[in-house]
Every structure is written in structure tokens, then in C-alpha cells.
Amino acid sequence: MSLIAASPADPGIGVRMSTEQCSVDTAWMHLHMKNNSNRATSPARGVVIAALCALLGGCAVTPKPLTDDDNRAAVRRSLERVAAGQEPIAAPIGLYEAMARALKYNLDYRVELMTQALRQSEVDLTRYDLLPQLAANAGFTSRSNDAGASSRSLLSGRESLEPSTSTERTVTTSDLTLSWDILDFGLSYVRAHQKADESLAAMEQRRKVANRIIEDVRTAYWRAVSAERLLGKMKELETSVLEALEESRSLEKRGATAPLAALTFQRELIQIRAELQRLQRDLVVAKRQLGALMNVPPDQDFQLALPARVSVPARLDMAPRDMMVNALFYRPELRDVRYRARINQRELDAVLLRALPSLRAVAGLNYDSNHYVYNHDWVGVGARASWNLINVFRYPAHRQAVENQQALLEQRELALTM
């Protein structure tokens, strides 16, 4: 008030300053009330912040490694399942029984069987991709007030329609739509054939593993039979070699033989002994290798049926070229490459289809609960065409890549044939 009185020459100044002072006082009061309100609500706000922090902390993902107990339990389960359901070994095992048990119980072969079954299931799944899509949708919307709108004239700029609404506050919608894309159908058809060829290639991989297992069983069986027959004799031979070596050294010390001849003889004996030890190591593990191929636990012992010796080995009555042709005809690696080549050839069709325009047809049943709508249910049909022109420019590069892959597969087939 003293400031207002000090300016009698301009009463407007006093009025303005008093108004500004009133605005400042009012703003200060609002700020004071806001601070008091914040102080009043600060505990609730703290609870909300704490809840948000707890929620964010719960959403955080941290890596949790397996504990030692988990690993031990997994090891116990694996050991229990490795040889579960196998027929016990009740008699000495011959060559053909060993092959049969290997094909029935070998875990590598089971993996290939499961892989082939997986590829076949993928073929069954691709058949559904050929069907049109049938989608059912339902929706519910609700709002607290009416969804109104008004219009403004583009010529005069005046409002030409008072605010109005054509939608209820709560609306339920549903539809059942059938759609079919011709381009997707063509691509799915090509992919289905490729998956079928992949399942056939998986079967050839299974045959490859079976051939390898049979060959490994044959080798391990005859080495194990040789071990049964020769280990005792080889130990006797090693003992004889050690005795001869000691006798040669004794003669050398007495001067009963020439030093150079004695050293040469001793070197040959040492080489013979080293060769015997190497053969013994190979033969000792042969039986365990055969047991591993048959999925026999390492701590389980079994006996081998020793076949009778034959003086003349069996001969295959087939010309060498016929052998070669027969081997190439049945070799699974070559058949696998041919299936891969057929898959690659169909990739050319897929590349061409991707470069074509797409046509999608749609038909559906629709329902809307909005009472402002005159027809609450209706049938809708439509069609849409689209064309990604970039795929047209990419087509030559894709085609060249597929042709290069085809040339690689042909060269691989020649290499496997050789």
C-alpha cells in the first residue's frame, strides 16, 4: 500500500501493481496448497513407486545355471534310460546277433529313426498349408462417453452439423473370414514337395548310419574274436621275446657274439615287442567297442560265439564292374545328393512364383451389435491383388544362385561316385 501511495501521479500504476500483487499472492497460495497436498499424498505415492519397482524387479530375467543336484539327477535318469527295455544277453553272441542287437538298440541309429519320423511329421504339417485360411474373430469395446463428431463446411468454414453419434458406448463385434491366396498356395505346394524329398533324404541318412553300424560291428566282432583267440598266445610270445632279449644281452656281455649283430638283433626284438603291445591294446578294447555298438553297459560282461575256422574264404560270385554298379546303386550318400538336387530344382519354381503377383480372395460372415447399424449381420466378399516388383529384379540373381547350387550338387555326386 505504501508503494501505491508513493505514486500519486499515475494511479494506473498502483492499480496494476496491486493486481500483480494479488496474482502473486494467489499463485503462492496455490503452490502452498499443492505442496501440502503432495505432503498428504506422499505416503500413497511412495507405495505406488515401491509397487512399480517390485513389479519391474520381478520382470527382470537373470540367468540361472543348473545346480549340481539337477545335473546329478539328469545323469541318473540318463543312465537308467540308456539300456531300458533291452533283452538280456542269455547266450554267447555271434556276428549276426550282434548286428541285429546293434540295429535294434544302438542309440545313434535311434537318433536317425527319430529324425526321419520328424521329417515325416513335417510333411504332414505342410499339407495344411495348402488349405485356405479360416479365421474367427470377436471383439468388445466400451467407453465412458459417447463417440460424437461434427462437420465443418469446406466452402464457408462454418459448422454444418451439430455433434452427433452413430456408435453405442458398448459394442460387440464378431466375424468368420475365409481367405485364400493363390500365390501362397503355389509356394506351399512347392514346399510340400521339398519337405517330402527331405523326408526321403532323412531315410537315406538312416541307411547310411545303418551301413556304418553294420561295418563297425563286423570289424569289432572279428577283432574281439581275434582277441579271444590270440591274447593268450601273444602274451606267451611276448614272454619269449623278453627271454630272447635277455639272452642276447647276456651273450653280448660275455663277448660270445659280435656287438653289432647283438645290437641289431636286440633292436628287432624291441620292435617286435612294441608291435605286440600295440596289437594287444587294439584287441583288448575290441570287445568293449562291440558292446558299445550293441548298447551294452560297460560294466556288463558277455561272451562271444567263436565261429569255426574255414580254410577257404567265401568268394562273391560277381564281376568287378557289377560290384561297382551295385555299390553305386545302393549307396545312400548318392541317393541323398539326388534328393538334394531335386529339392534344389523345385527351388527354381519357388523363385519364379515369388516374382509373380499375388491374388487374395476373401469371404466372411460379420456381426455388429451397434443398434445404430441398420444391418447387424452381413456377408462380405472381396479380392486384392498385390505385386512386389522388387522380386522381379531379384529373380535373375536368385535363379543364378539356384543354378550354382545345382552345379555343386552334380559335382558332389561325381566325387562320391569316384
Side-chain angles (χ1 to χ4, degrees), residues 30-50:
H30 280 294
L31 180 62
H32 182 69
M33 292 175 64
K34 183 177 181 181
N35 291 336
N36 291 336
S37 176
N38 291 339
R39 292 192 190 97
T41 58
S42 58
R45 185 170 58 183
V47 173
V48 173
I49 293 175

Side-chain angles (χ1 to χ4, degrees), residues 126 129-130 184-194 346:
T126 54
D129 295 336
L130 301 175
D184 287 344
F185 171 78
L187 287 174
S188 299
Y189 183 77
V190 173
R191 299 304 183 198
H193 280 284
Q194 288 180 327
R346 289 197 170 96

